[in-house]
């Protein structure tokens, strides 16, 4: 495959940045998108140019680091996959591919395609945890009966990998799908009810402090989420927030 890549290049957070064109050939349809970028970077390094900086780690669709905006879509044209799981057979020979970083005020660009998503970490630190008795008298979680329906929904919410596709896709750069998933995975289980009030209030407050926008129920976040996190979690978080506000 012969491709034209239009890639966002930005030296640092202060640099204005611009789209730069690259021609690349010899790309196999069974290559992953990141493998294609590896080929490009090898060519750039051999010519003495700077490689394109992009985030990646596990390359198994688990960590969520490989967050790229490809042809105007978070993680590219496929559904239910991260960028590292996207294969070049989704494109045609001769295609022009636009590759950009996730765009959001709360996700400032560090370099090229790499953005700072530590705002998600700070939201987690604000309440995405439970306090556990470690005195030696800890109750075995398997001794707490939980309806299977609730357990399944909690596990579904917990599959969120925090990639930020929901934020990048939302016209308001809202993080409510991410935050609601983190709230829901505890709100549905008895272990999370003890600190439920503080959790939702603190996490929503931190989300607003980071500069994320609000939700206007467009639904694009659920469509682009590689793990299929449901909008139902946002409704649940709103209910949790309302209850907590009256306490």
């Amino acid at each position: 495959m012969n491709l034209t890549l239009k890639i966002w290049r930005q030296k640092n957070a202060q640099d204005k940045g611009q789209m730069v064109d690259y021609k690349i050939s010899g790309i196999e349809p069974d290559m992953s998108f990141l493998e294609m970028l590896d080929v490009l970077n090898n060519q750039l390094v051999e010519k003495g140019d700077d490689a394109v900086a992009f985030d990646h780690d596990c390359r198994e669709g688990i960590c969520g680091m490989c967050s790229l905006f490809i042809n105007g879509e978070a993680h590219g044209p496929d559904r239910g996959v991260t960028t590292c799981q996207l294969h070049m057979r989704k494109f045609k020979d001769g295609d022009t591919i636009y590759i950009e970083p996730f765009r959001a005020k709360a996700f400032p660009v560090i370099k090229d395609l790499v953005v700072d998503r530590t705002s998600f970490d700070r939201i987690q630190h604000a309440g995405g945890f439970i306090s556990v008795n470690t005195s030696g008298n800890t109750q075995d979680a398997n001794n707490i009966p939980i309806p299977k329906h609730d357990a399944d929904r909690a596990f579904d919410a917990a599959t969120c990998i925090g990639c930020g596709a929901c934020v990048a896709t939302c016209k308001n750069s809202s993080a409510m799908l991410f935050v609601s998933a983190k709230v829901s995975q505890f709100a549905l289980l008895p272990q999370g009810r003890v600190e439920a009030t503080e959790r939702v209030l603190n996490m929503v407050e931190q989300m607003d402090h980071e500069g994320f926008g609000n939700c206007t129920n467009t639904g694009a976040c659920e469509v682009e989420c590689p793990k299929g996190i449901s909008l139902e979690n946002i409704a649940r978080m709103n209910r949790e927030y309302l209850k907590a506000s009256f306490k």
Side-chain angles (χ1 to χ4, degrees):
M1 296 173 64
N2 299 310
L3 303 167
T4 298
L5 307 178
K6 292 181 177 290
I7 302 178
W8 182 259
R9 301 303 305 264
Q10 185 172 335
K11 293 181 179 179
N12 51 51
Q14 290 71 44
D15 186 41
K16 185 178 179 180
Q18 62 180 341
M19 299 296 287
V20 178
D21 292 1
Y22 297 97
K23 299 288 186 181
I24 189 169
S25 59
I27 300 302
E28 297 295 330
D30 290 334
M31 283 183 177
S32 73
F33 198 86
L34 296 190
E35 287 173 332
M36 180 273 295
L37 289 179
D38 290 338
V39 172
L40 172 66
N41 278 342
N42 285 337
Q43 295 177 0
L44 292 176
V45 171
E46 287 174 358
K47 293 191 297 184
D49 296 333
D50 286 340
V52 177
F54 62 93
D55 249 337
H56 63 94
D57 190 11
C58 73
R59 299 202 179 197
E60 295 178 349
I62 298 172
C63 68
M65 291 184 66
C66 57
S67 301
L68 300 179
F69 215 63
I70 304 165
N71 285 349
E73 297 182 86
H75 295 297
D78 209 350
R79 290 290 175 266
V81 299
T82 52
T83 299
C84 64
Q85 297 172 301
L86 177 67
H87 288 85
M88 297 310 297
R89 54 180 171 268
K90 284 291 180 178
F91 304 93
K92 298 189 294 292
D93 184 38
D95 273 359
T96 297
I97 305 175
Y98 290 79
I99 310 171
E100 302 172 78
F102 280 2
R103 306 282 189 180
K105 177 183 177 181
F107 289 167
V109 174
I110 298 174
K111 182 179 181 180
D112 294 341
L113 305 174
V114 181
V115 299
D116 182 356
R117 287 174 293 166
T118 54
S119 51
F120 271 10
D121 295 332
R122 291 187 288 272
I123 293 173
Q124 278 283 78
H125 294 165
F129 56 87
I130 60 172
S131 297
V132 178
N133 182 349
T134 58
S135 65
N137 297 318
T138 307
Q139 184 178 6
D140 190 332
N142 292 326
N143 291 332
I144 304 174
I146 301 171
K148 186 178 186 304
H149 182 60
D150 290 345
D152 288 344
R153 288 187 297 167
F155 275 117
D156 287 343
T159 60
C160 170
I161 56 177
C163 67
C166 51
V167 175
T169 301
C170 179
K171 62 183 180 181
N172 305 319
S173 297
S174 172
M176 289 196 60
L177 192 68
F178 164 76
V179 178
S180 67
K182 299 307 175 184
V183 168
S184 290
Q185 71 184 62
F186 295 117
L188 289 162
L189 301 176
Q191 294 93 331
R193 298 311 306 169
V194 178
E195 298 163 305
T197 299
E198 293 181 359
R199 176 180 302 108
V200 68
L201 292 176
N202 291 343
M203 293 184 77
V204 171
E205 180 182 0
Q206 187 64 39
M207 175 183 69
D208 293 339
H209 177 73
E210 296 293 342
F212 291 104
N214 207 348
C215 174
T216 50
N217 296 310
T218 304
C221 54
E222 180 179 344
V223 174
E224 298 289 357
C225 175
K227 298 302 178 182
I229 302 299
S230 173
L231 288 174
E232 292 179 0
N233 290 299
I234 296 180
R236 183 177 298 105
M237 184 182 74
N238 288 336
R239 293 194 297 271
E240 290 289 318
Y241 187 85
L242 185 61
K243 287 189 294 184
S245 299
F246 284 111
K247 291 184 179 181

